[in-house]
Amino acid sequence: MTIDATAAALDARAEHAGLLDLAIAPLVVDALALDLVSLPQHPSSTLRGAFGSALKDLVCVHRERPECVGCPHGPSCSFPPLFSPHADPGQPGTRGFEELPRPFVLRLAPEGHSDSISIPAGSHFTWQCVLVGSAIQRLPLVVLAFRQMGEAGLGRGRGRFQVRGVRTALDPVGPAVFSAADGTLHPEAVKLYDPQQASCQRLTLRFVTPTQIRQGGRDVAVPEFRAIWHAVQLRLSTLRLAHGAGRPAVDFRGLLDQAERVRLTGWKTQGRHWERFSQRQGRRIPMAGFCGVAHYEGDLGPFLPALRLAEWTGIGNNATFGQGWFCVEQAD
């Protein structure tokens, strides 16, 4: 890279700095099925619901309350910051909305187009847990909740499992964050993702799970880069606002204007519609979103670090339970 190109890359990173200083700790949880574990086609929603129930069982002293808002123990309880974060009255940057994004992402990869996933007793399975910002400090509670999930059972028939270990996704052969063999927790083994700047003129994104982005009251059907970038900066900035250093000082409009100049050169779509069952609402909820592979060309270097970060957080609706999961499949 030339001196001029290096300087331009540093300037671009500085311009995006407010979107890149969010602490992201990607973890992988290894579990052993003790019973047959039966999960739906899109299992991450079930995983999130079980995680919330386990957290509530561990820390809530008013389980009869349907909502955390107004609970007298709310300010000292560990449940709302993790699973039901709300903006404080008058909190800067939260005008127009009260619910804040949850500081975690749970992902268990879908099994192709099958209607369900069956994990036989005695089999190992894994899921990804991405902790964001302040949630990283609550790692012991998160691990306890995962173990509680195993005791309570998961999916249809409440198949039990045992958490065998937790490791960082950034160093598969490194020391364990948690090991069931000796019951020890090693927070120092957690690694934070550090997005790197690089020049880039061509980029391929694979949308692994249904991605639902809404603009102007309508679902986005074709992932033009401006729409994807809008979703990326919205996701990272609201996570930073809620669980990091606050609202970032970023020229959102200027970055969108830059994103407008990136061209979508190819798009192979796989539209998918599915339903999930909401325990809280007691009904099935229709879900939508696109999957597929998109190819882009243009000055993508300034956007690449934030895209890499958003690979871990997901974008669009319901990213907490694995929707909007995309991968930077190829970057020149």
Side-chain angles (χ1 to χ4, degrees), residues 7-44:
L10 291 174
D11 288 343
R13 185 178 177 91
E15 188 177 20
H16 292 67
L19 297 176
L20 302 180
D21 63 358
L22 185 66
I24 299 287
L27 305 171
V28 175
V29 183
D30 176 48
L32 174 68
L34 302 178
D35 305 315
L36 173 66
V37 178
S38 299
L39 298 171
Q41 178 187 5
H42 295 274
S44 298

PDB file of all heavy atoms in Angstrom, residues 7-44:
ATOM      1  N   ALA A   7      -2.569   6.714   4.247  1.00  0.00           N
ATOM      2  CA  ALA A   7      -3.146   7.901   4.888  1.00  0.00           C
ATOM      3  C   ALA A   7      -4.654   7.950   4.682  1.00  0.00           C
ATOM      4  O   ALA A   7      -5.416   8.271   5.600  1.00  0.00           O
ATOM      5  CB  ALA A   7      -2.490   9.162   4.325  1.00  0.00           C
ATOM      6  N   ALA A   8      -5.089   7.609   3.453  1.00  0.00           N
ATOM      7  CA  ALA A   8      -6.521   7.613   3.172  1.00  0.00           C
ATOM      8  C   ALA A   8      -7.242   6.566   4.018  1.00  0.00           C
ATOM      9  O   ALA A   8      -8.345   6.804   4.519  1.00  0.00           O
ATOM     10  CB  ALA A   8      -6.765   7.337   1.684  1.00  0.00           C
ATOM     11  N   ALA A   9      -6.612   5.393   4.188  1.00  0.00           N
ATOM     12  CA  ALA A   9      -7.216   4.335   5.007  1.00  0.00           C
ATOM     13  C   ALA A   9      -7.340   4.774   6.461  1.00  0.00           C
ATOM     14  O   ALA A   9      -8.351   4.525   7.109  1.00  0.00           O
ATOM     15  CB  ALA A   9      -6.391   3.052   4.911  1.00  0.00           C
ATOM     16  N   LEU A  10      -6.302   5.444   6.980  1.00  0.00           N
ATOM     17  CA  LEU A  10      -6.351   5.930   8.357  1.00  0.00           C
ATOM     18  C   LEU A  10      -7.428   6.999   8.521  1.00  0.00           C
ATOM     19  O   LEU A  10      -8.139   7.039   9.526  1.00  0.00           O
ATOM     20  CB  LEU A  10      -4.980   6.476   8.770  1.00  0.00           C
ATOM     21  CG  LEU A  10      -3.872   5.427   8.925  1.00  0.00           C
ATOM     22  CD1 LEU A  10      -2.536   6.120   9.196  1.00  0.00           C
ATOM     23  CD2 LEU A  10      -4.190   4.452  10.049  1.00  0.00           C
ATOM     24  N   ASP A  11      -7.560   7.896   7.521  1.00  0.00           N
ATOM     25  CA  ASP A  11      -8.605   8.913   7.578  1.00  0.00           C
ATOM     26  C   ASP A  11      -9.979   8.262   7.586  1.00  0.00           C
ATOM     27  O   ASP A  11     -10.888   8.681   8.323  1.00  0.00           O
ATOM     28  CB  ASP A  11      -8.489   9.864   6.388  1.00  0.00           C
ATOM     29  CG  ASP A  11      -7.285  10.796   6.504  1.00  0.00           C
ATOM     30  OD1 ASP A  11      -6.749  10.918   7.628  1.00  0.00           O
ATOM     31  OD2 ASP A  11      -6.872  11.378   5.483  1.00  0.00           O
ATOM     32  N   ALA A  12     -10.157   7.213   6.744  1.00  0.00           N
ATOM     33  CA  ALA A  12     -11.448   6.525   6.678  1.00  0.00           C
ATOM     34  C   ALA A  12     -11.762   5.846   8.004  1.00  0.00           C
ATOM     35  O   ALA A  12     -12.893   5.870   8.479  1.00  0.00           O
ATOM     36  CB  ALA A  12     -11.427   5.497   5.547  1.00  0.00           C
ATOM     37  N   ARG A  13     -10.743   5.224   8.624  1.00  0.00           N
ATOM     38  CA  ARG A  13     -10.965   4.570   9.910  1.00  0.00           C
ATOM     39  C   ARG A  13     -11.366   5.594  10.963  1.00  0.00           C
ATOM     40  O   ARG A  13     -12.248   5.345  11.785  1.00  0.00           O
ATOM     41  CB  ARG A  13      -9.716   3.810  10.350  1.00  0.00           C
ATOM     42  CG  ARG A  13      -9.918   2.999  11.623  1.00  0.00           C
ATOM     43  CD  ARG A  13      -8.673   2.227  12.002  1.00  0.00           C
ATOM     44  NE  ARG A  13      -8.869   1.532  13.257  1.00  0.00           N
ATOM     45  CZ  ARG A  13      -9.331   0.302  13.361  1.00  0.00           C
ATOM     46  NH1 ARG A  13      -9.638  -0.368  12.280  1.00  0.00           N
ATOM     47  NH2 ARG A  13      -9.485  -0.273  14.546  1.00  0.00           N
ATOM     48  N   ALA A  14     -10.703   6.770  10.936  1.00  0.00           N
ATOM     49  CA  ALA A  14     -11.049   7.813  11.897  1.00  0.00           C
ATOM     50  C   ALA A  14     -12.484   8.279  11.695  1.00  0.00           C
ATOM     51  O   ALA A  14     -13.210   8.532  12.660  1.00  0.00           O
ATOM     52  CB  ALA A  14     -10.083   8.993  11.749  1.00  0.00           C
ATOM     53  N   GLU A  15     -12.914   8.358  10.425  1.00  0.00           N
ATOM     54  CA  GLU A  15     -14.266   8.797  10.127  1.00  0.00           C
ATOM     55  C   GLU A  15     -15.302   7.816  10.664  1.00  0.00           C
ATOM     56  O   GLU A  15     -16.397   8.196  11.057  1.00  0.00           O
ATOM     57  CB  GLU A  15     -14.424   8.953   8.607  1.00  0.00           C
ATOM     58  CG  GLU A  15     -15.732   9.583   8.170  1.00  0.00           C
ATOM     59  CD  GLU A  15     -15.783   9.764   6.667  1.00  0.00           C
ATOM     60  OE1 GLU A  15     -15.013   9.092   5.963  1.00  0.00           O
ATOM     61  OE2 GLU A  15     -16.592  10.578   6.202  1.00  0.00           O
ATOM     62  N   HIS A  16     -14.945   6.524  10.682  1.00  0.00           N
ATOM     63  CA  HIS A  16     -15.841   5.485  11.147  1.00  0.00           C
ATOM     64  C   HIS A  16     -15.580   5.085  12.603  1.00  0.00           C
ATOM     65  O   HIS A  16     -16.206   4.157  13.105  1.00  0.00           O
ATOM     66  CB  HIS A  16     -15.676   4.224  10.280  1.00  0.00           C
ATOM     67  CG  HIS A  16     -16.148   4.376   8.876  1.00  0.00           C
ATOM     68  ND1 HIS A  16     -15.533   5.204   7.973  1.00  0.00           N
ATOM     69  CD2 HIS A  16     -17.179   3.799   8.210  1.00  0.00           C
ATOM     70  CE1 HIS A  16     -16.153   5.119   6.808  1.00  0.00           C
ATOM     71  NE2 HIS A  16     -17.153   4.281   6.925  1.00  0.00           N
ATOM     72  N   ALA A  17     -14.656   5.781  13.275  1.00  0.00           N
ATOM     73  CA  ALA A  17     -14.178   5.317  14.584  1.00  0.00           C
ATOM     74  C   ALA A  17     -15.311   5.086  15.576  1.00  0.00           C
ATOM     75  O   ALA A  17     -15.267   4.146  16.374  1.00  0.00           O
ATOM     76  CB  ALA A  17     -13.165   6.317  15.153  1.00  0.00           C
ATOM     77  N   GLY A  18     -16.326   5.932  15.528  1.00  0.00           N
ATOM     78  CA  GLY A  18     -17.429   5.791  16.469  1.00  0.00           C
ATOM     79  C   GLY A  18     -18.220   4.514  16.298  1.00  0.00           C
ATOM     80  O   GLY A  18     -18.953   4.106  17.202  1.00  0.00           O
ATOM     81  N   LEU A  19     -18.078   3.859  15.144  1.00  0.00           N
ATOM     82  CA  LEU A  19     -18.760   2.598  14.912  1.00  0.00           C
ATOM     83  C   LEU A  19     -17.867   1.392  15.178  1.00  0.00           C
ATOM     84  O   LEU A  19     -18.333   0.250  15.140  1.00  0.00           O
ATOM     85  CB  LEU A  19     -19.258   2.522  13.457  1.00  0.00           C
ATOM     86  CG  LEU A  19     -20.294   3.549  13.028  1.00  0.00           C
ATOM     87  CD1 LEU A  19     -20.596   3.403  11.538  1.00  0.00           C
ATOM     88  CD2 LEU A  19     -21.576   3.420  13.838  1.00  0.00           C
ATOM     89  N   LEU A  20     -16.581   1.635  15.434  1.00  0.00           N
ATOM     90  CA  LEU A  20     -15.623   0.539  15.515  1.00  0.00           C
ATOM     91  C   LEU A  20     -15.089   0.273  16.918  1.00  0.00           C
ATOM     92  O   LEU A  20     -14.362  -0.707  17.108  1.00  0.00           O
ATOM     93  CB  LEU A  20     -14.439   0.818  14.578  1.00  0.00           C
ATOM     94  CG  LEU A  20     -14.768   1.021  13.101  1.00  0.00           C
ATOM     95  CD1 LEU A  20     -13.497   1.289  12.301  1.00  0.00           C
ATOM     96  CD2 LEU A  20     -15.503  -0.183  12.531  1.00  0.00           C
ATOM     97  N   ASP A  21     -15.413   1.134  17.890  1.00  0.00           N
ATOM     98  CA  ASP A  21     -14.840   0.952  19.225  1.00  0.00           C
ATOM     99  C   ASP A  21     -15.771   0.183  20.158  1.00  0.00           C
ATOM    100  O   ASP A  21     -15.589   0.180  21.369  1.00  0.00           O
ATOM    101  CB  ASP A  21     -14.473   2.307  19.839  1.00  0.00           C
ATOM    102  CG  ASP A  21     -15.688   3.203  20.056  1.00  0.00           C
ATOM    103  OD1 ASP A  21     -16.814   2.802  19.692  1.00  0.00           O
ATOM    104  OD2 ASP A  21     -15.516   4.324  20.578  1.00  0.00           O
ATOM    105  N   LEU A  22     -16.761  -0.500  19.580  1.00  0.00           N
ATOM    106  CA  LEU A  22     -17.678  -1.314  20.374  1.00  0.00           C
ATOM    107  C   LEU A  22     -17.009  -2.640  20.717  1.00  0.00           C
ATOM    108  O   LEU A  22     -16.511  -3.331  19.839  1.00  0.00           O
ATOM    109  CB  LEU A  22     -18.964  -1.553  19.583  1.00  0.00           C
ATOM    110  CG  LEU A  22     -20.091  -2.298  20.296  1.00  0.00           C
ATOM    111  CD1 LEU A  22     -20.627  -1.467  21.458  1.00  0.00           C
ATOM    112  CD2 LEU A  22     -21.204  -2.617  19.306  1.00  0.00           C
ATOM    113  N   ALA A  23     -16.979  -2.990  21.998  1.00  0.00           N
ATOM    114  CA  ALA A  23     -16.361  -4.242  22.435  1.00  0.00           C
ATOM    115  C   ALA A  23     -17.258  -5.417  22.050  1.00  0.00           C
ATOM    116  O   ALA A  23     -18.425  -5.468  22.434  1.00  0.00           O
ATOM    117  CB  ALA A  23     -16.128  -4.225  23.941  1.00  0.00           C
ATOM    118  N   ILE A  24     -16.707  -6.335  21.278  1.00  0.00           N
ATOM    119  CA  ILE A  24     -17.436  -7.516  20.814  1.00  0.00           C
ATOM    120  C   ILE A  24     -16.641  -8.755  21.219  1.00  0.00           C
ATOM    121  O   ILE A  24     -15.472  -8.895  20.840  1.00  0.00           O
ATOM    122  CB  ILE A  24     -17.603  -7.503  19.281  1.00  0.00           C
ATOM    123  CG1 ILE A  24     -18.391  -6.284  18.832  1.00  0.00           C
ATOM    124  CG2 ILE A  24     -18.251  -8.804  18.803  1.00  0.00           C
ATOM    125  CD1 ILE A  24     -19.861  -6.347  19.135  1.00  0.00           C
ATOM    126  N   ALA A  25     -17.255  -9.662  21.981  1.00  0.00           N
ATOM    127  CA  ALA A  25     -16.588 -10.887  22.423  1.00  0.00           C
ATOM    128  C   ALA A  25     -17.339 -12.095  21.860  1.00  0.00           C
ATOM    129  O   ALA A  25     -18.349 -12.524  22.428  1.00  0.00           O
ATOM    130  CB  ALA A  25     -16.538 -10.962  23.940  1.00  0.00           C
ATOM    131  N   PRO A  26     -16.874 -12.670  20.742  1.00  0.00           N
ATOM    132  CA  PRO A  26     -17.543 -13.838  20.161  1.00  0.00           C
ATOM    133  C   PRO A  26     -17.119 -15.122  20.891  1.00  0.00           C
ATOM    134  O   PRO A  26     -15.925 -15.392  21.041  1.00  0.00           O
ATOM    135  CB  PRO A  26     -17.059 -13.852  18.708  1.00  0.00           C
ATOM    136  CG  PRO A  26     -16.290 -12.573  18.510  1.00  0.00           C
ATOM    137  CD  PRO A  26     -15.811 -12.173  19.871  1.00  0.00           C
ATOM    138  N   LEU A  27     -18.090 -15.903  21.336  1.00  0.00           N
ATOM    139  CA  LEU A  27     -17.844 -17.141  22.057  1.00  0.00           C
ATOM    140  C   LEU A  27     -18.521 -18.314  21.345  1.00  0.00           C
ATOM    141  O   LEU A  27     -19.490 -18.125  20.605  1.00  0.00           O
ATOM    142  CB  LEU A  27     -18.381 -17.045  23.484  1.00  0.00           C
ATOM    143  CG  LEU A  27     -17.881 -15.878  24.341  1.00  0.00           C
ATOM    144  CD1 LEU A  27     -18.680 -15.807  25.634  1.00  0.00           C
ATOM    145  CD2 LEU A  27     -16.399 -16.026  24.628  1.00  0.00           C
ATOM    146  N   VAL A  28     -18.014 -19.501  21.579  1.00  0.00           N
ATOM    147  CA  VAL A  28     -18.636 -20.732  21.092  1.00  0.00           C
ATOM    148  C   VAL A  28     -18.921 -21.622  22.299  1.00  0.00           C
ATOM    149  O   VAL A  28     -18.034 -21.869  23.119  1.00  0.00           O
ATOM    150  CB  VAL A  28     -17.737 -21.470  20.086  1.00  0.00           C
ATOM    151  CG1 VAL A  28     -18.368 -22.800  19.687  1.00  0.00           C
ATOM    152  CG2 VAL A  28     -17.504 -20.613  18.849  1.00  0.00           C
ATOM    153  N   VAL A  29     -20.171 -22.078  22.410  1.00  0.00           N
ATOM    154  CA  VAL A  29     -20.594 -22.940  23.517  1.00  0.00           C
ATOM    155  C   VAL A  29     -20.691 -24.371  23.002  1.00  0.00           C
ATOM    156  O   VAL A  29     -21.369 -24.637  21.994  1.00  0.00           O
ATOM    157  CB  VAL A  29     -21.955 -22.487  24.084  1.00  0.00           C
ATOM    158  CG1 VAL A  29     -22.353 -23.358  25.282  1.00  0.00           C
ATOM    159  CG2 VAL A  29     -21.905 -21.011  24.482  1.00  0.00           C
ATOM    160  N   ASP A  30     -20.015 -25.286  23.681  1.00  0.00           N
ATOM    161  CA  ASP A  30     -20.041 -26.700  23.319  1.00  0.00           C
ATOM    162  C   ASP A  30     -20.939 -27.436  24.302  1.00  0.00           C
ATOM    163  O   ASP A  30     -20.769 -27.321  25.530  1.00  0.00           O
ATOM    164  CB  ASP A  30     -18.622 -27.284  23.355  1.00  0.00           C
ATOM    165  CG  ASP A  30     -18.615 -28.780  23.088  1.00  0.00           C
ATOM    166  OD1 ASP A  30     -19.259 -29.206  22.126  1.00  0.00           O
ATOM    167  OD2 ASP A  30     -17.973 -29.518  23.869  1.00  0.00           O
ATOM    168  N   ALA A  31     -21.922 -28.157  23.772  1.00  0.00           N
ATOM    169  CA  ALA A  31     -22.884 -28.847  24.634  1.00  0.00           C
ATOM    170  C   ALA A  31     -22.996 -30.315  24.241  1.00  0.00           C
ATOM    171  O   ALA A  31     -22.797 -30.685  23.080  1.00  0.00           O
ATOM    172  CB  ALA A  31     -24.251 -28.183  24.544  1.00  0.00           C
ATOM    173  N   LEU A  32     -23.335 -31.152  25.220  1.00  0.00           N
ATOM    174  CA  LEU A  32     -23.547 -32.584  25.017  1.00  0.00           C
ATOM    175  C   LEU A  32     -25.015 -32.893  25.298  1.00  0.00           C
ATOM    176  O   LEU A  32     -25.509 -32.635  26.400  1.00  0.00           O
ATOM    177  CB  LEU A  32     -22.656 -33.393  25.951  1.00  0.00           C
ATOM    178  CG  LEU A  32     -22.864 -34.911  25.946  1.00  0.00           C
ATOM    179  CD1 LEU A  32     -22.433 -35.511  24.620  1.00  0.00           C
ATOM    180  CD2 LEU A  32     -22.103 -35.561  27.111  1.00  0.00           C
ATOM    181  N   ALA A  33     -25.720 -33.421  24.292  1.00  0.00           N
ATOM    182  CA  ALA A  33     -27.131 -33.763  24.474  1.00  0.00           C
ATOM    183  C   ALA A  33     -27.260 -34.972  25.392  1.00  0.00           C
ATOM    184  O   ALA A  33     -26.661 -36.024  25.144  1.00  0.00           O
ATOM    185  CB  ALA A  33     -27.769 -34.055  23.122  1.00  0.00           C
ATOM    186  N   LEU A  34     -28.037 -34.821  26.459  1.00  0.00           N
ATOM    187  CA  LEU A  34     -28.309 -35.930  27.373  1.00  0.00           C
ATOM    188  C   LEU A  34     -29.571 -36.681  26.959  1.00  0.00           C
ATOM    189  O   LEU A  34     -29.722 -37.867  27.263  1.00  0.00           O
ATOM    190  CB  LEU A  34     -28.460 -35.407  28.802  1.00  0.00           C
ATOM    191  CG  LEU A  34     -27.262 -34.635  29.361  1.00  0.00           C
ATOM    192  CD1 LEU A  34     -27.562 -34.134  30.768  1.00  0.00           C
ATOM    193  CD2 LEU A  34     -25.996 -35.486  29.350  1.00  0.00           C
ATOM    194  N   ASP A  35     -30.483 -35.973  26.306  1.00  0.00           N
ATOM    195  CA  ASP A  35     -31.700 -36.554  25.737  1.00  0.00           C
ATOM    196  C   ASP A  35     -31.743 -36.166  24.258  1.00  0.00           C
ATOM    197  O   ASP A  35     -30.879 -35.420  23.779  1.00  0.00           O
ATOM    198  CB  ASP A  35     -32.961 -36.002  26.433  1.00  0.00           C
ATOM    199  CG  ASP A  35     -32.936 -36.182  27.934  1.00  0.00           C
ATOM    200  OD1 ASP A  35     -32.580 -37.288  28.385  1.00  0.00           O
ATOM    201  OD2 ASP A  35     -33.258 -35.211  28.646  1.00  0.00           O
ATOM    202  N   LEU A  36     -32.748 -36.648  23.548  1.00  0.00           N
ATOM    203  CA  LEU A  36     -32.985 -36.169  22.200  1.00  0.00           C
ATOM    204  C   LEU A  36     -33.401 -34.704  22.273  1.00  0.00           C
ATOM    205  O   LEU A  36     -34.369 -34.361  22.964  1.00  0.00           O
ATOM    206  CB  LEU A  36     -34.087 -36.992  21.525  1.00  0.00           C
ATOM    207  CG  LEU A  36     -34.558 -36.482  20.148  1.00  0.00           C
ATOM    208  CD1 LEU A  36     -33.436 -36.589  19.116  1.00  0.00           C
ATOM    209  CD2 LEU A  36     -35.801 -37.252  19.690  1.00  0.00           C
ATOM    210  N   VAL A  37     -32.674 -33.823  21.592  1.00  0.00           N
ATOM    211  CA  VAL A  37     -32.993 -32.397  21.559  1.00  0.00           C
ATOM    212  C   VAL A  37     -33.607 -32.088  20.196  1.00  0.00           C
ATOM    213  O   VAL A  37     -32.949 -32.219  19.160  1.00  0.00           O
ATOM    214  CB  VAL A  37     -31.733 -31.533  21.786  1.00  0.00           C
ATOM    215  CG1 VAL A  37     -32.091 -30.053  21.701  1.00  0.00           C
ATOM    216  CG2 VAL A  37     -31.103 -31.851  23.141  1.00  0.00           C
ATOM    217  N   SER A  38     -34.891 -31.715  20.195  1.00  0.00           N
ATOM    218  CA  SER A  38     -35.623 -31.435  18.958  1.00  0.00           C
ATOM    219  C   SER A  38     -35.840 -29.930  18.833  1.00  0.00           C
ATOM    220  O   SER A  38     -36.467 -29.316  19.700  1.00  0.00           O
ATOM    221  CB  SER A  38     -36.971 -32.163  18.952  1.00  0.00           C
ATOM    222  OG  SER A  38     -36.783 -33.568  19.020  1.00  0.00           O
ATOM    223  N   LEU A  39     -35.336 -29.369  17.739  1.00  0.00           N
ATOM    224  CA  LEU A  39     -35.395 -27.926  17.536  1.00  0.00           C
ATOM    225  C   LEU A  39     -36.059 -27.606  16.203  1.00  0.00           C
ATOM    226  O   LEU A  39     -36.038 -28.422  15.276  1.00  0.00           O
ATOM    227  CB  LEU A  39     -33.977 -27.343  17.551  1.00  0.00           C
ATOM    228  CG  LEU A  39     -33.184 -27.514  18.854  1.00  0.00           C
ATOM    229  CD1 LEU A  39     -31.744 -27.085  18.658  1.00  0.00           C
ATOM    230  CD2 LEU A  39     -33.839 -26.724  19.980  1.00  0.00           C
ATOM    231  N   PRO A  40     -36.636 -26.407  16.066  1.00  0.00           N
ATOM    232  CA  PRO A  40     -37.246 -26.017  14.792  1.00  0.00           C
ATOM    233  C   PRO A  40     -36.187 -25.684  13.746  1.00  0.00           C
ATOM    234  O   PRO A  40     -34.985 -25.642  14.044  1.00  0.00           O
ATOM    235  CB  PRO A  40     -38.069 -24.782  15.172  1.00  0.00           C
ATOM    236  CG  PRO A  40     -37.364 -24.211  16.354  1.00  0.00           C
ATOM    237  CD  PRO A  40     -36.823 -25.393  17.107  1.00  0.00           C
ATOM    238  N   GLN A  41     -36.627 -25.426  12.522  1.00  0.00           N
ATOM    239  CA  GLN A  41     -35.720 -25.145  11.413  1.00  0.00           C
ATOM    240  C   GLN A  41     -34.812 -23.962  11.711  1.00  0.00           C
ATOM    241  O   GLN A  41     -33.634 -23.972  11.376  1.00  0.00           O
ATOM    242  CB  GLN A  41     -36.532 -24.861  10.143  1.00  0.00           C
ATOM    243  CG  GLN A  41     -35.676 -24.501   8.931  1.00  0.00           C
ATOM    244  CD  GLN A  41     -36.508 -24.059   7.756  1.00  0.00           C
ATOM    245  OE1 GLN A  41     -37.725 -23.935   7.860  1.00  0.00           O
ATOM    246  NE2 GLN A  41     -35.868 -23.807   6.636  1.00  0.00           N
ATOM    247  N   HIS A  42     -35.365 -22.933  12.330  1.00  0.00           N
ATOM    248  CA  HIS A  42     -34.581 -21.760  12.735  1.00  0.00           C
ATOM    249  C   HIS A  42     -34.460 -21.793  14.257  1.00  0.00           C
ATOM    250  O   HIS A  42     -35.292 -21.235  14.975  1.00  0.00           O
ATOM    251  CB  HIS A  42     -35.240 -20.472  12.248  1.00  0.00           C
ATOM    252  CG  HIS A  42     -35.270 -20.355  10.757  1.00  0.00           C
ATOM    253  ND1 HIS A  42     -34.222 -19.846  10.028  1.00  0.00           N
ATOM    254  CD2 HIS A  42     -36.209 -20.708   9.857  1.00  0.00           C
ATOM    255  CE1 HIS A  42     -34.507 -19.874   8.746  1.00  0.00           C
ATOM    256  NE2 HIS A  42     -35.709 -20.392   8.612  1.00  0.00           N
ATOM    257  N   PRO A  43     -33.442 -22.463  14.788  1.00  0.00           N
ATOM    258  CA  PRO A  43     -33.390 -22.796  16.214  1.00  0.00           C
ATOM    259  C   PRO A  43     -32.962 -21.655  17.127  1.00  0.00           C
ATOM    260  O   PRO A  43     -33.130 -21.750  18.337  1.00  0.00           O
ATOM    261  CB  PRO A  43     -32.359 -23.925  16.259  1.00  0.00           C
ATOM    262  CG  PRO A  43     -31.442 -23.640  15.110  1.00  0.00           C
ATOM    263  CD  PRO A  43     -32.303 -23.048  14.034  1.00  0.00           C
ATOM    264  N   SER A  44     -32.393 -20.595  16.573  1.00  0.00           N
ATOM    265  CA  SER A  44     -31.842 -19.553  17.441  1.00  0.00           C
ATOM    266  C   SER A  44     -32.919 -18.829  18.237  1.00  0.00           C
ATOM    267  O   SER A  44     -32.662 -18.338  19.335  1.00  0.00           O
ATOM    268  CB  SER A  44     -31.029 -18.556  16.616  1.00  0.00           C
ATOM    269  OG  SER A  44     -29.935 -19.198  15.997  1.00  0.00           O
TER     270      SER A  44
END
